[in-house]
Amino acid sequence: MKKTTFIIIALLTMASFAFAGNSDAGKNAYTFLKIGVGAKEESMAGAYVGLADDPSSLNNNPAGLAAPIYDLQAPRDYYIEQAEGEIGYEPDIKLIETKQNRFFATYMNYIADIQTGYLGYVRKLDDRSTVGASLQYQDYGSMEKRNSLGESLGDFSSFDMAFGITYSKRINQKLTLGVTGKFILEKIDTLTSDAMAVDIGGLYRFDHGRTSLGIAGRNLGSQLKGFTKSHKDPLPAMFDFGLSHSLRGMPLTVNADITIPTDNQVFFAIGGQFESFRPFFLRLGWSSAGQDYKTDSDNDNLGGFAAGFGYKYTDYNIDYSLSSYADLGNVHRLSMSVDF
């Protein structure tokens, strides 16, 4: 009862921040860093910092890489030889042992045909420590260049890229911490800019992992070189607070996040994963950030909603998500991970 009360209070507290404003909207560089990459997280509208149980935590909460992962709906025959009188025993929870190495890849055709990809590699050093590497890439395609008179000067291209190295360590069975250092590069025609940043994260799983709390600070750093010598832009730093809870006696995990960007209004996301049809997983989510895409059109009601599914076969995971950006269109993501 006490834990349930705590969860309700935490959700209400998070929701109370959701519609605050920010006068610095749109002022920061490297906005591609704010785009979610994993299909699993984005099918729940980005509500994932408190769960962080797959390699996409490289991008949103580095603490998730070394955190213990529990199967909250494990088959009951797994426990035939377990001591039911053991303190804290629950007949539907099993600790999952991950393989030494994990590979993660995702592809997204973003708004206006912007192409985005993400690659991640995770390696377990020992029972408590994990390292990872990631590469995020966004290609804006070819665009026409014109001078001040409107005369065509040919075409040019533009891209963004971020390379990260992650270290995650489990302090004890409940608390895990993680940090990512990353180098960021942006190129527009012949001009380039670069920056250094860190992501930090923490994940606290209560007994047996049914409830967990996550916190992450992302894109904390500064621009090393701007497009001109006299000007440097701030990075799109943000702070995420997440709560995840698997309902007892029901195959449903509910996640809720509150995100505080430095360059936009605070927003709230909530999502769920249904596990009744395993190895298929159905997911649904909504984010208050959808308010930013609404233009009083017929598609406004869909803005901020997301849905998707996942399929797990032995050591392979495939996830798909569909996110609605109202009149801007829909975004499809496809992710794959493999343990080996």
Side-chain angles (χ1 to χ4, degrees):
M1 183 65 180
K2 291 182 178 179
K3 184 179 289 187
T4 302
T5 303
F6 167 77
I7 292 170
I8 294 173
I9 293 174
L11 285 170
L12 292 175
T13 301
M14 291 164 64
S16 68
F17 290 101
F19 300 102
N22 192 302
S23 60
D24 292 327
K27 293 183 179 180
N28 292 0
Y30 313 117
T31 55
F32 78 104
L33 296 173
K34 300 193 295 182
I35 300 173
V37 298
K40 180 176 181 178
E41 60 178 282
E42 291 305 311
S43 62
M44 295 182 284
Y48 194 67
V49 172
L51 183 60
D53 65 350
D54 78 346
S56 67
S57 58
L58 278 166
N59 182 65
N60 51 50
N61 187 354
L65 295 185
I69 300 175
Y70 297 90
D71 185 346
L72 301 176
Q73 307 295 331
R76 299 183 72 89
D77 57 7
Y78 170 80
Y79 298 94
I80 292 177
E81 298 180 359
Q82 300 294 312
E84 296 194 21
E86 182 180 338
I87 296 176
Y89 170 81
E90 285 197 64
D92 59 348
I93 295 179
K94 171 185 176 182
L95 179 63
I96 298 175
E97 293 295 333
T98 59
K99 297 290 183 66
Q100 286 292 114
N101 306 310
R102 286 178 285 170
F103 175 77
F104 174 79
T106 189
Y107 171 77
M108 170 178 56
N109 187 0
Y110 198 53
I111 295 169
D113 287 331
I114 296 173
Q115 308 299 308
T116 297
Y118 189 93
L119 297 174
Y121 173 76
V122 178
R123 181 175 181 83
K124 184 190 293 185
L125 297 180
D126 53 46
D127 289 340
R128 290 180 175 266
S129 302
T130 303
V131 295
S134 59
L135 175 66
Q136 184 175 356
Y137 185 82
Q138 184 155 290
D139 184 4
Y140 297 91
S142 179
M143 292 169 276
E144 186 179 11
K145 179 168 55 175
R146 293 179 177 271
N147 61 19
S148 59
L149 299 177
E151 299 169 335
S152 177
L153 301 177
D155 295 335
F156 72 97
S157 61
S158 175
F159 70 84
D160 296 319
M161 183 178 67
F163 175 73
I165 297 292
T166 301
Y167 176 74
S168 179
K169 184 175 180 64
R170 179 160 52 88
I171 306 304
N172 53 47
Q173 195 64 21
K174 297 181 180 181
L175 177 64
T176 309
L177 302 176
V179 60
T180 297
K182 54 190 178 184
F183 174 75
I184 307 159
L185 175 67
E186 185 172 64
K187 184 177 185 296
I188 302 177
D189 196 10
T190 61
L191 302 176
T192 61
S193 71
D194 51 56
M196 293 291 292
V198 296
D199 298 345
I200 56 175
L203 194 63
Y204 187 90
R205 299 205 194 281
F206 292 89
D207 290 339
H208 301 299
R210 189 176 293 281
T211 303
S212 58
L213 297 174
I215 182 172
R218 294 189 281 163
N219 309 322
L220 309 176
S222 63
Q223 195 172 55
L224 303 178
K225 174 182 174 292
F227 288 120
T228 65
K229 294 182 179 180
S230 60
H231 180 76
K232 292 183 179 181
D233 294 307
L235 272 60
M238 60 180 67
F239 300 91
D240 297 309
F241 303 88
L243 171 68
S244 177
H245 180 66
S246 180
L247 302 181
R248 188 186 302 274
M250 185 175 181
L252 172 64
T253 298
V254 179
N255 308 310
D257 279 17
I258 180 75
T259 300
I260 307 175
T262 57
D263 65 342
N264 209 333
Q265 67 179 7
V266 178
F267 60 91
F268 173 82
I270 186 168
Q273 174 174 272
F274 302 89
E275 304 178 4
S276 295
F277 309 105
R278 358 169 110 202
F280 289 95
F281 301 88
L282 301 179
R283 303 174 183 122
L284 185 67
W286 175 81
S287 171
S288 66
Q291 299 291 329
D292 295 340
Y293 319 126
K294 295 187 176 183
T295 58
D296 294 327
S297 73
D298 293 338
N299 294 325
D300 279 358
N301 292 333
L302 298 177
F305 280 96
F309 63 85
Y311 176 71
K312 179 177 177 60
Y313 175 74
T314 62
D315 295 326
Y316 297 88
N317 292 272
I318 298 176
D319 298 291
Y320 165 80
S321 70
L322 172 66
S323 304
S324 174
Y325 289 78
D327 272 347
L328 294 177
N330 298 321
V331 172
H332 304 266
R333 291 176 176 86
L334 183 65
S335 298
M336 183 192 74
S337 67
V338 56
D339 296 356
F340 58 98

